Amino acid sequence: MADHRQGTESDDGAASQALKTHRPSARDTVRLAVVIGALGVVFGDIGTSPIYTLQTVFNPSDPHPVPVTTDNVFGVVSLVFWSVMIIVTVTYVLLAMRADNDGEGGIMALITLLRRWNAQRGGRAAVVLAALGIFGASLFFGDSMITPAISVLSAVEGLKVVQPSLEDAVVPITAVIIVMLFLVQRRGTAAVGRVFGPVMILWFVAIGACGVVGITDHPDILKSLSPTYALGFLFGHWGTAFFALAAIVLAVTGAEALYADMGHFGRRAITRGWLFLVLPACVLSYMGQGALILDDPDNISSPFFLLVPDWGRWPMVILATAATVIASQAVITGAYSVASQAAQLGYLPRLRIAHTSESTIGQIYVPWINWLLMVSVLTLVFAFRSSAELAYAFGMAVTGTITITTLLFLYVARAKWGTPKWLLAVGGGALLVVDLLFVAANMTKLVHGAWLPLLIGLTAFTVMTTWQRGRELVTEQRARAEGSLPEFVDDLRSGEAGARQVPGTAVFLNRDKETAPLAMRANVEHNHVRHEQVVILSIKTEPVPRVPAEQRVVVDDLGYGDDGIIHVTARFGYMETPDVPGSLALLDPAETEGPLQLDQASYFLSKIELRRGEAPTMAPWRKRLFIATSYITADAAEHFSLPRDRTVIMGAHIEV
């Protein structure tokens, strides 16, 4: 989720660049632009939560309804406020955002940190937590399916307030908006992204202003800022408050986006946007809605839109729809990013990825994920038909991801910073108690929809862990089939391979420099030729977002002398798409036994056909799942940016 959304350079980078000019006005302008960019991308999900949170808490059709009484309204509003403060402000803004992987944040960044430490030091805890992190990333796919459905539905439901006769049109209009949203994804969001920031600023100003109007009619609601009301409601009305937590958690949906987008906008820009605009606006909206419900309990039907004056409801419905589309855009591109990073780290097959912006590296489009999400979101809209019904499913995905992020952060705090155990036990324990309370409350909604994100998460987790395990098995089998590279080169040099040398440069993609590329072995055995210049290229994905150009390629000394065969390692970060020709162009001719003829070079790939074998390597159903998942693997030539007219694919088969 980190680099997937449109925006500008990081806050720290922007600030340092501006300082070089020694002009405070330029520095302030750059910082303001970064904050505005963050407002348009990072806060869309959490910023639209006021539309449906209190409405869901007091929904009379809830299987565990919260009675509308003065004490309950004060208690609920207070719980909403303090939940936002503890989970978003403390857990994410003040703590989690300090744990980054070379500037990148989000649960995938924490996973790469854990994998790196596990490789260096070992440890069962890191392995278990990394697996838990993969499940958290899997839950995000459920979040990315539910968010567009509940957000757009809740906004369009404002039509029922403005014009009750339009109630039957809510679902069809929602479906049309969602289809259009997914259809434009392939064009990129750069043009729309320019207006995202101003639209969201207008949104936050509007909801904050409406909240102020509501508060002035019933200023006593400000008392709910005191934690005594939250604690009194929680412990004094435990039976009611516990079930209410399943809906109150909706106020913190989108908290993960603050962390995930840290690398794109910088921690300071996100912190400023949250503390100075988003948090006050959302709190004012919740307070105003609470005051409105105190005045008339019938307002629970749609407190957000009823808080708006009659003359402003049509504009607010339009603005809310725009804001929820922006919120949906954030999680859709977030799903692209998570899928892309998972593929780079070996948890998913290679996916076709299109870059939709020449200036923004992280702006990508993944067709397979896009159409899967569109079908899933439309299915949810037509199956649940209202935001209130979807809310039960939404909370489970959110609480699961938040709890896992907290656990991973606490481990990182101990391993990276050496935080004292007593402090982790006290502070971290308190945060986990809050998180687990929300998880427990949402578990009570299992039969009412909370099963859905768990099912999606378990399915995605099974697919990713099966692919990782199957990939390990294929790697072992492939290593045996490829044989030793030194022995193969010795046969070429001695002439025992029976291959004649032909002019030109051949590039063979391979896993490492220990084994002979299958395509190279097949070329010698079947065509009986070897090229004058042979480059054996290994692509290595580093556990960092991006690798600098000066560290991109390394020529390895194979120890064979001047025989025209070299091995090159090209290193990429997990946020990058490999560009093989571009990487080879960085090579120094002095290291490659003369300049490579890249404009005429031939690229050789090995295409592996998977077959289900009898060996007890995996359960039969997992073997079938692994082979089925392999069918979505993207074309290798396109993925590695190889010229199609000079790419040769040679096949082989492996049993799993």
Side-chain angles (χ1 to χ4, degrees), residues 402-416:
I402 290 172
T403 304
I404 292 171
T405 299
T406 303
L407 280 170
L408 298 185
F409 168 77
L410 293 177
Y411 182 86
V412 169
R414 177 62 183 169
K416 185 177 182 179

Side-chain angles (χ1 to χ4, degrees), residues 43-57 80 84 151 154-155 200 203-204 206-208 210-211 247-253 274 278-290 293 300 302-307 316 320 323-324 327 387 394:
F43 301 105
D45 194 357
I46 198 167
T48 53
S49 297
I51 299 176
Y52 46 79
T53 300
L54 291 188
Q55 175 184 332
T56 304
V57 173
V80 167
V84 170
S151 297
S154 65
M200 292 308 295
W203 167 257
F204 289 121
I207 68 173
C210 291
I248 289 172
V249 74
L250 298 177
V252 300
T253 57
W274 170 251
V278 182
L279 175 61
C282 290
V283 170
L284 288 172
S285 180
Y286 288 125
M287 293 284 171
Q289 292 180 56
I293 296 171
I300 61 170
S302 186
F304 177 83
F305 287 105
L306 291 173
L307 191 61
M316 181 58 82
T324 53
S387 59
F394 202 15

Side-chain angles (χ1 to χ4, degrees), residues 551-556 567-571 587 591:
Q551 301 175 21
R552 177 77 66 207
V553 290
V554 177
V555 179
D556 297 314
H567 180 272
V568 176
T569 300
R571 302 165 61 242
L587 289 170
E591 296 181 292

